[in-house]
Amino acid sequence: MKILEVKTKGARFFVVAIISALAFLGCNEKPEAKKPKKTQKPNILFIMSDDHAYQAISAYGSKLIKTPNIDRLAKEGMLFTNASVTNSICAPSRATILTGKHTHINGKIDNLMPFDTTQVTFPQIFQKNGYQTAMFGKLHFGNNPKGVDDFMILPGQGFYINPDFITSKGDTTITGYVTDIITDVTLNWLKEERDEDKPFMMMYLHKAPHRPWWPTPEKFKEFTKKEFPEPETLFDDYSNRGTAAKTAEMNLFTHMMYSHDSKIRPELLEKMGDKVTPKVEEFKNGFYGPYGRANREQKAKYDEVLDEINAEFEKNWPTMTDEEKMRWKYQRYMQDYLACISSVDDNVGRVLDYLEESGLAENTIVVYTSDQGFYLGEHGWFDKRFIYDQSFKTPLIIKWPNTIEPGSVENEMVQNLDFAPTFLEAAGIEVPSDMQGESLMPLLKGEKEKWNRDAVYYHYYEYPSVHMVKRHYGIVTKEYKLAHFYFDVDEWELYDRLNDPHELNNVYDHPDYAEVVEELKQKLKELRKKYKDSPELDQKYIDIYKKMKAEKENDFW
């Protein structure tokens, strides 16, 4: 064992690691940057956060937070306003990104169904074609990523405070904050481990801002003093919508947890007893699981803020109206969620600064995205899963010097399905014929006339499960969104995206939209056939679910 003191921006932490794993560390020593050798093929830096809503990026017009470093990419590259996912949930989204295939093809339809390990991922293809490859941060499925020369990944969801990591040389625990640590390791690789004679493809993957939202102590203190504007639909009553919206379990007031989410200590909840309403079922160790990882010094810093939050809650909660409680939960949610994003933005800035200082920026494609969107109180919700915009849409910003026009904005319908073929084509590597995505190269090069997609396909499977969002599939164009909810219901919803941007009115049965429904249903059939999805596959996955549920005595999900 060896203990290293590593200084990070604005903080210090201590690394306790197996000696064989120390090669990943020492990452904030600042050796003189080496001038990179020119390579014909571009480097690719793929930056992905987890559950980062586009509404929380100032380049997308956010009124909640400033993200100057992510905005730098938009100013120097292309911002996509209609980027979306094929299945709005973490592991399936990542499987789609890696394979360029829909989840019903790669097997990862939900967070628990196994990934088809015979599938070839784009890092494998890059590796075979002379690229040096690396992955640092959150993968979320599998502990041995394929196609990467170097990796250091979080097991499962990972922890914000003093996280564990899996490496090719053994497991290790690092004292510090996860967003800072992932960046330290990334920078160390770029500075010390990279082969200057090869182009690189790096995946720099943040855990933040995934639930439960634990910021650094400094951001925690700063953001709890802030108040954030409420979305117009915070108090949505789900009228003019179908069963799915009415029965989903992701409402801030009725489903957001006091300890796990709002940081109320369990012993205070027990002390207050029936004064705490509405009653919400808590995760076991929802508070002490994350908080308990902190050391004495870290806890002292968190306690300073936690004491204030808990004192305010004990004093005011019993006399607050339901409306006031909803607003309080929203503010607590935004304070922690946005504080986590602020750290992501700071650290993205560190990496972008190094690319500039080292000269690597000149030949590096930089991508910023999230594994899906997220609800920030819209419709009264948190989480994702739905085909509705805040869940279905995802941030996507791409910078490519001398190819992408700086400051450009693109509104074509693109998906995470398209990332793999785009990266491969940009690197001059043949795209496998079984990839289902389309390369974004025509859009990146300003050749929109060569882009002919007018609709995208979506399919969500994880039901019954946490948050209880019903299974559904659908088609989305710039103008309309048609979705079919199935399994225990048979309901259709149609939204006019241009005239009803908040998606408040299901016009499926409105006579004025009869022709639209007929046309979109036909297009939906064609898309399902194109992507090899079908009613038979729907039933196959339902049968698998029922069998697994029975075998696990209702504990499958």
Side-chain angles (χ1 to χ4, degrees):
M1 282 290 186
K2 187 173 181 180
I3 298 179
L4 295 182
E5 178 179 331
V6 181
K7 295 182 179 180
T8 64
K9 187 176 182 181
R12 294 190 306 171
F13 63 88
F14 293 88
V15 176
V16 181
I18 305 167
I19 290 176
S20 62
L22 291 178
F24 288 95
L25 305 174
C27 31
N28 276 299
E29 297 174 5
K30 294 187 177 179
E32 187 175 334
K34 301 171 183 176
K35 194 70 176 176
K37 295 182 179 180
K38 295 284 185 180
T39 57
Q40 186 175 3
K41 292 179 179 292
N43 305 308
I44 296 175
L45 175 62
F46 180 74
I47 309 172
M48 184 165 70
S49 51
D50 193 308
D51 292 343
H52 189 173
Y54 63 88
Q55 313 94 281
I57 296 177
S58 42
Y60 279 94
S62 176
K63 297 179 181 178
L64 296 169
I65 189 172
K66 295 293 184 184
T67 50
N69 294 297
I70 297 172
D71 290 0
R72 284 165 60 184
L73 291 173
K75 291 175 183 175
E76 298 169 1
M78 179 176 288
L79 180 145
F80 290 81
T81 61
N82 259 322
S84 64
V85 297
T86 65
N87 184 351
S88 185
I89 189 168
C90 297
S93 175
R94 293 160 190 268
T96 291
I97 288 169
L98 287 169
T99 62
K101 300 175 186 177
H102 278 276
T103 51
H104 62 272
I105 300 295
N106 64 48
K108 197 67 181 164
I109 62 166
D110 56 42
N111 277 338
L112 291 185
M113 290 289 272
F115 175 66
D116 178 1
T117 56
T118 67
Q119 295 288 327
V120 176
T121 65
F122 80 80
Q124 290 176 280
I125 302 173
F126 271 91
Q127 190 181 51
K128 289 180 179 178
N129 282 272
Y131 269 73
Q132 188 180 16
T133 57
M135 178 185 291
F136 301 119
K138 182 176 178 180
L139 174 60
H140 195 200
F141 67 93
N143 292 337
N144 188 23
K146 297 190 294 182
V148 290
D149 301 315
D150 295 293
F151 70 89
M152 184 169 174
I153 60 172
L154 295 161
Q157 293 287 3
F159 294 100
Y160 279 102
I161 304 169
N162 305 334
D164 303 321
F165 285 95
I166 299 167
T167 80
S168 59
K169 299 176 182 178
D171 298 350
T172 185
T173 299
I174 302 179
T175 303
Y177 187 66
V178 67
T179 307
D180 298 332
I181 295 168
I182 292 169
T183 305
D184 292 337
V185 176
T186 296
L187 285 169
N188 181 67
W189 189 89
L190 288 170
K191 295 175 182 179
E192 303 296 336
E193 306 296 327
R194 182 175 58 85
D195 184 343
E196 295 181 15
D197 292 325
K198 290 183 177 182
F200 67 81
M201 192 291 297
M202 171 184 276
M203 303 188 78
Y204 165 45
L205 311 173
H206 285 293
K207 169 186 171 57
H210 194 280
R211 183 188 191 201
W213 309 281
W214 280 85
T216 64
E218 295 75 20
K219 298 281 188 185
F220 194 33
K221 184 175 183 178
E222 175 190 352
F223 276 74
T224 51
K225 305 300 182 185
K226 296 177 181 284
E227 185 171 339
F228 300 95
E230 298 171 358
E232 293 181 34
T233 58
L234 181 63
F235 293 95
D236 191 352
D237 63 2
Y238 315 118
S239 58
N240 302 318
R241 254 71 49 80
T243 305
K246 293 180 175 70
T247 58
E249 297 179 358
M250 45 203 265
N251 184 272
L252 294 173
F253 178 63
T254 54
H255 302 112
M256 184 162 272
M257 300 177 184
Y258 297 104
S259 287
H260 184 67
D261 298 315
S262 299
K263 312 293 189 296
I264 304 303
R265 293 189 175 99
E267 51 268 34
L268 176 58
L269 293 177
E270 185 176 354
K271 172 186 173 184
M272 293 178 67
D274 291 340
K275 293 180 181 179
V276 180
T277 60
K279 294 297 181 185
V280 178
E281 185 177 354
E282 292 282 345
F283 289 145
K284 184 180 180 180
N285 296 325
F287 178 85
Y288 283 109
Y291 174 80
R293 295 187 66 84
N295 59 33
R296 184 179 300 177
E297 181 181 354
Q298 292 165 332
K299 284 179 179 175
K301 293 179 180 178
Y302 279 115
D303 285 343
E304 180 182 346
V305 184
L306 289 169
D307 288 347
E308 291 182 8
I309 293 170
N310 280 258
E312 178 194 1
F313 183 85
E314 183 177 15
K315 177 182 177 181
N316 297 328
W317 195 261
T319 60
M320 291 168 68
T321 66
D322 287 353
E323 182 177 310
E324 289 171 334
K325 291 176 179 178
M326 176 67 149
R327 290 198 155 105
W328 185 90
K329 279 192 167 184
Y330 170 75
Q331 292 299 330
R332 278 274 48 251
Y333 171 31
M334 287 299 92
Q335 287 163 357
D336 293 348
Y337 177 92
L338 296 170
C340 291
I341 286 176
S342 182
S343 288
V344 170
D345 188 72
D346 289 346
N347 280 280
V348 167
R350 292 173 61 200
V351 174
L352 296 182
D353 287 346
Y354 177 72
L355 293 180
E356 293 291 342
E357 294 163 5
S358 64
L360 284 170
E362 298 174 14
N363 193 39
T364 301
I365 299 171
V366 182
V367 179
Y368 186 86
T369 191
S370 178
D371 52 354
Q372 63 263 318
F374 213 68
Y375 288 104
L376 305 185
E378 298 88 359
H379 306 291
W381 288 333
F382 63 102
D383 208 68
K384 58 252 183 180
R385 302 168 194 266
F386 274 113
I387 196 173
Y388 308 142
D389 269 6
Q390 287 81 14
S391 165
F392 163 78
K393 289 176 64 174
T394 190
L396 176 61
I397 305 171
I398 304 178
K399 174 191 172 185
W400 189 358
N402 303 313
T403 298
I404 292 176
E405 183 70 25
S408 51
V409 177
E410 182 54 72
N411 70 344
E412 291 298 320
M413 302 296 299
V414 305
Q415 286 192 297
N416 56 356
L417 187 72
D418 305 325
F419 294 172
T422 302
F423 302 156
L424 292 170
E425 184 176 348
I429 300 171
E430 184 177 357
V431 179
S433 59
D434 62 345
M435 280 192 175
Q436 296 181 308
E438 298 180 31
S439 171
L440 303 177
M441 288 293 282
L443 301 178
L444 301 182
K445 291 183 174 181
E447 300 171 348
K448 190 179 287 195
E449 68 278 2
K450 296 181 181 179
W451 182 260
N452 58 12
R453 177 193 283 159
D454 62 357
V456 296
Y457 180 62
Y458 180 88
H459 199 152
Y460 174 79
Y461 297 85
E462 194 168 292
Y463 175 87
S465 182
V466 61
H467 298 303
M468 298 300 284
V469 173
K470 295 186 183 296
R471 298 183 184 217
H472 59 290
Y473 59 83
I475 180 174
V476 185
T477 69
K478 292 179 186 177
E479 296 84 13
Y480 299 105
K481 182 177 295 182
L482 178 70
H484 180 216
F485 292 86
Y486 68 99
F487 184 80
D488 59 346
V489 294
D490 181 10
E491 297 180 0
W492 290 85
E493 295 182 7
L494 174 69
Y495 295 94
D496 187 328
R497 300 186 73 201
L498 301 182
N499 293 310
D500 180 22
H502 294 306
E503 298 174 316
L504 295 174
N505 297 293
N506 173 20
V507 293
Y508 178 78
D509 291 320
H510 196 293
D512 290 350
Y513 289 89
E515 290 185 11
V516 173
V517 168
E518 184 178 358
E519 179 184 346
L520 287 179
K521 277 192 171 182
Q522 180 58 37
K523 283 189 175 182
L524 179 57
K525 285 183 181 179
E526 294 168 1
L527 278 184
R528 284 188 31 108
K529 182 177 181 180
K530 173 182 177 180
Y531 292 124
K532 300 179 182 179
D533 203 2
S534 65
E536 291 76 21
L537 262 183
D538 298 345
Q539 189 58 51
K540 171 188 171 181
Y541 285 122
I542 289 172
D543 292 341
I544 291 173
Y545 159 75
K546 289 180 176 178
K547 180 180 179 182
M548 294 181 75
K549 183 178 179 182
E551 289 173 351
K552 298 293 183 180
E553 296 180 337
N554 297 324
D555 286 334
F556 170 51
W557 293 105

